[in-house]
Amino acid sequence: MTCTDFLKELTDYLDATIDSSTQAELEDHLAWCHNCYVICNTTKKTIEIYRDSQLYELPDDLRTRLRTAIVAKCQQKKA
Ligand SMILES: [Zn+2]
C-alpha cells in the first residue's frame, strides 16, 4: 500500500466503514510510515473536535489540504 492508497482509504478507516483486510493493510502502513501516522492522528483529532461541535463531516478544503501536505512530503522523500 502506498501513501496515496492510504489517504484514499483514510476517511473510511476513521469512520470504520472498511472491510477488515483493508483495515489490516492500513494498520500495516501506519506501522512503518510516520507521515501517514501523523496525518491519521491529526485527522482523527480533527474529527473528534468536529464531532464535539456536532459537525461530523470533515470540510472538503481541510481534507484536500491534508492530502496535499502528505503527498508533498512523500514526494520530497523520493527526491
Ligand atoms: Zn504513508
Side-chain angles (χ1 to χ4, degrees):
M1 174 170 290
T2 65
C3 293
T4 311
D5 294 333
F6 180 89
L7 289 170
K8 260 187 241 163
E9 307 289 348
L10 178 60
T11 50
D12 285 344
Y13 172 66
L14 294 172
D15 287 344
T17 56
I18 54 168
D19 59 81
S20 56
S21 68
T22 309
Q23 188 181 334
E25 280 184 56
L26 290 169
E27 279 166 0
D28 184 61
H29 186 92
L30 278 180
W32 61 263
C33 184
H34 182 69
N35 285 338
C36 289
Y37 179 78
V38 170
I39 290 287
C40 182
N41 273 348
T42 308
T43 308
K44 207 188 280 182
K45 277 181 198 144
T46 308
I47 288 172
E48 278 162 14
I49 290 164
Y50 275 92
R51 264 186 194 149
D52 286 347
S53 26
Q54 297 186 322
L55 280 166
Y56 177 72
E57 280 292 317
L58 271 182
D60 278 346
D61 70 317
L62 177 64
R63 213 183 281 222
T64 306
R65 271 190 287 145
L66 284 170
R67 195 169 293 192
T68 307
I70 186 68
V71 168
K73 267 191 189 176
C74 292
Q75 281 166 353
Q76 270 172 17
K77 237 186 190 176
K78 271 180 225 158

